[in-house]
DNA sequence: GCCTTATTTAGTGTTTTCTCTAATTAGAGT
DNA sequence: ACTCTAATTAGAGAAAACACTAAATAAGGC
């Protein structure tokens, strides 16, 4: 369930760019959307996929939803890829 | 072009499992196919995507095609993910 | 309670992915 | 040349992904 969703989420360039943007710190959905020419609903669907993969977490702040990176899942995916480098046990 | 194809290739569980199998050393298309319940043509399409992403390389040996891991591309994708861990420059 | 702002959910059409079976290519041996 | 094995390419259909516009939800200020 988990690892599949993570790699599926990472497969789209827009979603990877969203993660890049979040490296600079938490951002609202609207602020993120301004960096793309896509419509807000389209971006919202991308956010949902990143959230489903737990690559990002959401927190409400007034009327805004603030997204931020979830490092631990990223580390997990990372170490999964890392294991390719070691000879099979 | 390159990085997109790599993440696209990594997005399918079967293709990730193919890479896992290749960790044990080079294998022929047929030998790889035996590890799955999918048809050989289907697997062949997965091989093609991995090859397009340059995650694997092919070499003919008689009537067989031998696939093996291309570490350098894997390292590249890896360090690309790694950069998420560092604060933005 | 009503209006505004921020964002998501619903509905729709198009494009892409994934799988299959059938046909084709490539090399090796007789 | 013929045949066998190994693997790919071609064609087709079902399922999923992606983008849009329009409608719904949630919180805050008047």
């Amino acid at each position: 369930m988990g690892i599949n969703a993570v790699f599926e989420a990472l497969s789209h360039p827009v979603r990877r760019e969203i993660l890049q943007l979040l490296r600079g710190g938490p951002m609202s959905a609207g602020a993120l959307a301004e960096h793309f020419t896509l419509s807000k609903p389209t971006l919202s669907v991308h956010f949902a996929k990143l959230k489903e993969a737990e690559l990002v977490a959401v927190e409400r702040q007034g009327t805004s939803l603030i997204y931020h990176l979830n490092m631990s899942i990223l580390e997990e995916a990372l170490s999964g890829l890392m294991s390719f480098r070691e000879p099979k046990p």
Side-chain angles (χ1 to χ4, degrees), chain A residues 49-68:
Chain A
K49 293 207 170 182
L50 289 168
K51 201 170 57 183
E52 190 206 329
E54 294 178 90
L55 282 165
V56 302
V58 200
E59 170 198 13
R60 180 174 281 280
Q61 214 166 86
T63 62
S64 295
L65 292 177
I66 311 296
Y67 285 94
H68 44 87

Side-chain angles (χ1 to χ4, degrees), chain A residues 28-88:
Chain A
S28 73
L32 283 167
E34 280 179 10
H35 286 82
F36 299 91
T37 56
L38 299 166
S39 72
K40 282 180 182 181
T42 295
L43 266 298
S44 189
V45 172
H46 285 305
F47 299 154
K49 293 207 170 182
L50 289 168
K51 201 170 57 183
E52 190 206 329
E54 294 178 90
L55 282 165
V56 302
V58 200
E59 170 198 13
R60 180 174 281 280
Q61 214 166 86
T63 62
S64 295
L65 292 177
I66 311 296
Y67 285 94
H68 44 87
L69 263 181
N70 183 350
M71 281 305 187
S72 62
I73 294 288
L74 216 40
E75 304 261 330
E76 224 173 89
L78 220 78
S79 61
L81 273 172
M82 280 297 225
S83 75
F84 283 128
R85 305 172 68 185
E86 315 292 335
K88 213 169 181 174

